[in-house]
Amino acid sequence: MVLEAIRYRRGHLEILDQLRLPHTTAYEPLASSEDAWHAIKAMRVRGAPAIAIVAALALAVELHRSTLSAVAVSAVAEEVVVFVHEKLEYLVSSRPTAVNLADAAEKLGRVVEASGGEGGATGDGVREAYIQAAERMLVDDVSDNEAIGRHGAEWILGNARAKGNGENVSVLTHCNTGSLATAGYGTALGVIRSLHQSKMLRHAYCTETRPYNQGSRLTAYELVHDDIPSTLITDSMAGALLRLKGPSENISAVVVGADRVAANGDTANKIGTYGLAVLARHHGVKFLVAAPRTTIDLKTGSGRDIVIEERPGREVTRVAGPRCWDETVESDHVVTVSTAATGVDVWNPAFDVTPAELIDAVITERGVVEKGPDGRFPLESLFRVTSEK
């Protein structure tokens, strides 16, 4: 059974509430851009690609329903264009670090501008142009992720494992970058899926990913769902894992996703990624970033220019989950417990920036980008194509 984080048909959108995973599977309907904003802000949906898709589709649902309700948006093309731009700007404010959302908003804005500028344009025509463009994004994201997985698996087998070593490889990943973070299949977790499907994966290791535990709640959930051999570790165990089990388990790569890749290759991703890159370099393990081109922001020169979101301190000092008795999990009884001294100050950045010099390659749907002779990633080459999505 395919794991679905996003369920969509025209006029109807549901998301898998990720705050209730892994113990409860519940879908939440989103009928408007306001619904999507709150779902993204509260992290009921998360992952840079998924955020962009959900935001785009929620507005598509809102526009579709406006044609069926007594209170239509407008019949005037120019007014619909203005309405869409205002809604897109509002949606982008929900998670400013994730560049996919801003990229999607920019592309969708161009779509409605072009539609509204045509001779004889109508409000219905602009709405339809937007809805079709948002639906294409959903389809394209899945195919892009499958390509990322294929390219990444091939690169690891050809470059990361020891030459002449035909053994299956093990991979360490961080946060959640699978079907729950995208429209389907995943980026970094898509690489692991591709290795597993080709029977070249020995073992997958995933970090707990504090403070929101996306690794233990979500990545572990996906790995178990797909019956992929895997082990969960706490974030602080990564160094020991690479030192004590790296050679024996043939841990050949650390593969992570990204929320924004700057023009020079500096990468913003879930907090803890930078530390993993340092550990990988020390232990001689390849460190790879897997992300679609929509995550690459050529307008941002380096990591110094990336705005890092800071989240409430209570996410660090409290943990929520179902009540347990021995091996029994009471999924209907969710409790929140305090894990820190009352009154302690908390710093809770949601992301960190890994400098390009610690990254060995960037995996995209167009292929794997390695550093050139000048030591920099030629990321701009990914956009030099005649037909661009």
Side-chain angles (χ1 to χ4, degrees):
M1 182 177 65
V2 177
L3 183 62
E4 288 184 294
I6 301 170
R7 289 178 173 175
Y8 173 81
R9 66 177 186 275
R10 183 162 290 203
H12 186 79
L13 172 65
E14 290 182 337
I15 60 166
L16 184 59
D17 186 348
Q18 298 187 26
L19 294 182
R20 302 180 68 180
L21 291 175
H23 303 292
T24 300
T25 300
Y27 285 88
E28 174 187 352
L30 302 181
S32 67
S33 51
E34 286 76 16
D35 288 349
W37 191 95
H38 288 288
I40 294 168
K41 193 69 176 178
M43 294 182 70
R44 292 193 295 278
V45 60
R46 27 70 50 211
I51 287 170
I53 299 299
V54 166
L57 291 176
L59 181 51
V61 170
E62 183 173 351
L63 289 169
H64 177 79
R65 292 189 175 188
S66 74
T67 65
L68 305 176
S69 67
V71 184
V73 173
S74 177
V76 180
E78 291 182 2
E79 292 180 0
V80 176
V81 171
V82 172
F83 176 84
V84 169
H85 277 300
E86 289 176 348
K87 291 292 187 178
L88 290 173
E89 183 178 355
Y90 166 69
L91 285 163
V92 168
S93 70
S94 61
R95 293 301 298 274
T97 304
V99 71
N100 302 59
L101 179 52
D103 179 79
E106 182 179 343
K107 289 176 179 175
L108 291 167
R110 291 200 299 265
V111 167
V112 295
E113 288 281 358
S115 178
E118 294 175 353
T122 65
D124 285 342
V126 174
R127 275 191 289 269
E128 181 62 23
Y130 176 92
I131 292 170
Q132 288 186 13
E135 290 173 344
R136 281 196 301 272
M137 286 184 172
L138 175 65
V139 175
D140 289 347
D141 189 64
V142 176
S143 61
D144 287 348
N145 291 338
E146 290 174 346
I148 288 170
R150 184 172 62 255
H151 293 314
E154 291 172 354
W155 194 94
I156 289 173
L157 294 175
N159 297 274
R161 63 178 178 178
K163 290 184 178 180
N165 183 349
E167 293 183 8
N168 289 6
V169 297
S170 295
V171 175
L172 170 63
T173 192
H174 185 59
C175 197
N176 175 256
T177 58
S179 295
L180 297 173
T182 64
Y185 201 74
T187 54
L189 196 51
V191 175
I192 290 174
R193 281 193 167 100
S194 184
L195 285 167
H196 178 64
Q197 289 168 358
S198 62
K199 302 188 185 305
M200 294 306 296
L201 180 72
R202 177 170 182 161
H203 209 81
Y205 293 90
C206 64
T207 60
E208 181 183 37
T209 319
R210 287 280 294 146
Y212 233 68
N213 297 321
Q214 293 99 324
S216 59
R217 290 190 301 108
L218 307 178
T219 298
Y221 176 82
E222 292 201 46
L223 291 168
V224 170
H225 179 277
D226 286 10
D227 199 25
I228 295 174
S230 55
T231 297
L232 172 69
I233 64 170
T234 67
D235 298 3
S236 55
M237 294 175 184
L241 174 73
L242 295 180
R243 182 167 183 255
L244 300 177
K245 289 183 174 289
S248 63
E249 294 298 316
N250 200 21
I251 301 177
S252 302
V254 177
V255 187
V256 300
D259 285 82
R260 186 181 297 250
V261 180
N264 71 338
D266 291 350
T267 297
N269 192 49
K270 181 55 55 185
I271 191 72
T273 302
Y274 175 36
L276 284 176
V278 173
L279 289 170
R281 179 58 55 91
H282 178 75
H283 290 91
V285 174
K286 298 295 185 183
F287 186 88
L288 310 174
V289 171
R293 291 183 307 145
T294 52
T295 306
I296 298 171
D297 182 9
L298 297 180
K299 297 177 183 177
T300 298
S302 72
R304 292 189 299 272
D305 304 315
I306 298 176
V307 177
I308 299 299
E309 175 189 1
E310 293 194 15
R311 296 187 60 83
R314 63 179 178 273
E315 293 179 359
V316 176
T317 62
R318 302 175 185 177
V319 174
R323 190 169 59 186
C324 300
W325 301 101
D326 295 326
E327 297 301 317
T328 302
V329 177
E330 298 182 353
S331 57
D332 293 334
H333 293 84
V334 176
V335 296
T336 299
V337 298
S338 174
T339 61
T342 302
V344 68
D345 188 40
V346 176
W347 180 51
N348 185 21
F351 309 94
D352 57 27
V353 175
T354 300
E357 55 263 31
L358 294 178
I359 300 170
D360 291 293
V362 178
I363 309 163
T364 78
E365 71 274 24
R366 288 284 169 85
V368 180
V369 181
E370 301 179 52
K371 293 169 186 167
D374 58 357
R376 61 178 295 276
F377 288 109
L379 296 174
E380 64 280 357
S381 65
L382 293 168
F383 300 89
R384 293 175 188 158
V385 291
T386 54
S387 59
E388 189 165 1
K389 293 177 182 175

